[in-house]
Amino acid sequence: DAGVIQSPRHEVTEMGQEVTLRCKPISGHDYLFWYRQTMMRGLELLIYFNNNVPIDDSGMPEDRFSAKMPNASFSTLKIQPSEPRDSAVYFCASTAGGGPAYNEQFFGPGTRLTVL
Amino acid sequence: QKEVEQNSGPLSVPEGAIASLNCTYSDRGSQSFFWYRQYSGKSPELIMFIYSNGDKEDGRFTAQLNKASQYVSLLIRDSQPSDSATYLCAVKDTGRRALTFGSGTRLQVQP
């Protein structure tokens, strides 16, 4: 398996522009997570999906952020409009459902976002 | 708000020594605990998980859990320079699949 795939790997944009990050989870995984990592705040959960349905979006910082999962193999995280404080590494992770033994989350390589 | 606390380090140990990494958590109902390793510029990768009080060993790594004290630790025996990384402690939130991560401890193993 190719693992969790994210694109783009790097994104540089100007303040006010729309940014779309993409994620393809591991095939067969029914949970998908979006995280943001910064030096100041560490690794923070933004939102997670189960079977394509958003379960908890309490970590989404504000209305400028939105996430979708139209099918089991694709998810997007959109920021509109982007601001310099959104600069971070955004990780997507996936895991298979089941008991506690299946809670290992596999992370994608991340998207490094820089908003100028 | 659920919290997971780690000393940011850096923790510096000589090659061959034992590195001890510690983590405390606030949610007394937490049941599952994870240690992830993250090399600079890379994504986190799982090293170990633990559910029961006591020790769990996997090669050079030992995870220790004390639920009464809300404390998790990771011991790395015979530390190698390749172990130099940031180690993230994560706690599975009660009643949901999400993990809360600590800010990580940076480990430096000196050759």
Side-chain angles (χ1 to χ4, degrees), chain A residues 25-53:
Chain A
I26 293 173
S27 178
H29 283 185
D30 53 350
Y31 284 85
L32 183 140
F33 305 82
W34 282 102
Y35 291 91
R36 177 173 68 177
Q37 188 173 40
T38 62
M39 289 293 292
M40 290 298 297
R41 300 177 65 89
L43 193 61
E44 304 175 278
L45 177 69
L46 299 177
I47 185 172
Y48 78 96
F49 296 82
N50 177 219
N51 292 323
N52 314 335
V53 176

Side-chain angles (χ1 to χ4, degrees), chain B:
Chain B
Q1 181 176 351
K2 303 179 182 69
E3 293 183 350
V4 179
E5 300 287 342
Q6 294 182 260
N7 188 317
S8 61
L11 172 65
S12 185
V13 300
E15 184 175 356
I18 296 175
S20 178
L21 305 164
N22 305 314
C23 170
T24 59
Y25 59 95
S26 64
D27 184 359
R28 186 169 289 277
S30 298
Q31 297 293 317
S32 310
F33 308 88
F34 304 81
W35 283 100
Y36 281 80
R37 178 176 61 200
Q38 186 175 25
Y39 291 113
S40 180
K42 302 295 185 182
S43 56
E45 55 180 345
L46 184 68
I47 299 175
M48 292 189 70
F49 59 85
I50 186 167
Y51 306 118
S52 303
N53 273 330
D55 296 359
K56 179 181 179 182
E57 186 174 317
D58 184 0
R60 296 187 297 113
F61 299 95
T62 298
Q64 300 175 317
L65 174 61
N66 184 325
K67 290 185 179 180
S69 301
Q70 296 176 242
Y71 178 90
V72 190
S73 65
L74 179 70
L75 301 178
I76 306 175
R77 291 181 299 281
D78 188 24
S79 296
Q80 301 296 310
S82 58
D83 294 326
S84 298
T86 296
Y87 289 80
L88 302 169
C89 173
V91 178
K92 177 182 172 298
D93 297 345
T94 305
R96 64 177 198 156
R97 286 285 166 179
L99 298 179
T100 298
F101 283 83
S103 57
T105 298
R106 187 158 62 95
L107 173 66
Q108 295 177 339
V109 181
Q110 305 297 333

Side-chain angles (χ1 to χ4, degrees), chain A residues 62-80:
Chain A
E62 48 198 274
D63 292 345
R64 297 185 297 108
F65 286 69
S66 62
K68 295 182 180 180
M69 192 165 186
N71 57 63
S73 60
F74 183 67
S75 177
T76 60
L77 178 68
K78 186 175 295 187
I79 308 172
Q80 166 64 15

